[in-house]
Amino acid sequence: MAYEVAAPKYVRLAQTIQSRIEDGTYPPGTRVPSENQLVQAFGMSRPTVVRALELLKRDGWVESRQGYGTIVRGRSEVVEQNDRRGREALERDESQTAGHLVEVAEVSVPVRVASALGLPKRAKVLMRRFLVEEDGEAVELVSSYFPAGLAEDTELASAEALSGSVREHLEARRKVRFDHVTERVSARLPEGDEAGLLGLPDGVPVLSVLVIARDASGQALQVSDVLLPADRQELEDTYRLG
């Protein structure tokens, strides 16, 4: 039996603050609400708030400045680099990409995808999984999920590689319009057959770029989980001093 474990409170709070940085609620250069304000706003303890801020500092979203409090740094170079990989997944032409289509199936929506699509747990979605290769080596595993109703009257369920991007296909067939994208970067251990597909030894983590494509109303049209082998990524971050 698989058990679903909710993320700790401090992680959920950090994710909420990160989302507000991404959507412009907390613009770069502005102050994040004080610890007292966050305690009152979210009904969480001070230790939980402190741990959430420390997590955001570690990942480069905010920094402490003496006399100013906690300041929004914006999106770090690490996040930007991986976000570019996420955006590429939405525009990729499968028929012109080195690699192959691994699986096309109706599956129960993963927990991390369900909330993004606004679906209940165990709802059925269509999944397309594509393995990207360079010089014969697996470099990305992209699992894209679509609400079952949206996939009707399209070629998304085809076991053949699509010509053109999924975005172009959906906009042409379903008359929807992709408007904006939200991307969440995290690290985790691979699940199921992910390690085998990526050729990873036991215990090697992956970087996950969860790409959520929405229409102008905010409705999610597609969620892609882009997995990158952590042992093959060269990431660089820049920090301000003083």
Side-chain angles (χ1 to χ4, degrees), residues 15-75:
Q15 291 172 336
T16 298
I17 296 173
Q18 177 184 322
S19 295
R20 294 186 180 186
I21 293 172
E22 290 184 299
D23 67 18
T25 302
Y26 302 149
T30 62
R31 284 190 295 182
V32 174
S34 68
E35 291 178 9
N36 286 337
Q37 290 172 324
L38 291 172
V39 166
Q40 295 175 4
F42 293 97
M44 295 184 179
S45 67
R46 184 177 299 276
T48 297
V49 169
V50 170
R51 291 190 71 183
L53 292 175
E54 288 299 324
L55 182 60
L56 291 166
K57 291 174 188 175
R58 186 200 70 184
D59 290 346
W61 291 95
V62 301
E63 63 181 356
S64 293
R65 292 186 191 174
Q66 189 172 1
Y68 290 93
T70 302
I71 306 298
V72 176
R73 291 187 60 214
R75 300 166 71 81

Side-chain angles (χ1 to χ4, degrees), residues 149-242:
L150 185 65
E152 293 177 359
D153 301 321
T154 73
E155 300 299 321
L156 294 181
S158 170
E160 301 295 326
L162 291 178
S163 178
S165 70
V166 169
R167 171 184 176 178
E168 293 170 339
H169 187 73
L170 279 174
E171 289 187 339
R173 290 295 185 89
R174 298 294 308 207
K175 307 306 178 184
V176 295
R177 180 65 59 184
F178 286 69
D179 182 76
H180 59 281
V181 171
T182 301
E183 295 165 337
R184 303 171 185 168
V185 182
S186 61
R188 63 175 175 84
L189 289 175
E191 303 169 352
D193 59 351
E194 293 171 348
L197 289 169
L198 288 168
L200 295 177
D202 290 343
V204 174
V206 291
L207 294 177
S208 168
V209 184
L210 197 66
V211 187
I212 308 165
R214 306 178 188 274
D215 63 17
S217 72
Q219 175 65 45
L221 303 173
Q222 172 183 347
V223 175
S224 294
D225 192 7
V226 182
L227 297 187
L228 310 168
D231 62 344
R232 301 171 203 164
Q233 305 304 308
E234 295 182 1
L235 304 180
E236 179 179 338
D237 201 357
T238 302
Y239 297 90
R240 287 194 292 269
L241 301 176

Side-chain angles (χ1 to χ4, degrees), residues 129-148:
R129 176 169 285 178
F130 193 91
L131 186 68
V132 182
E133 299 175 334
E134 290 181 3
D135 299 323
E137 181 180 52
V139 294
E140 288 183 33
L141 180 62
V142 184
S143 300
S144 296
Y145 302 88
F146 309 88

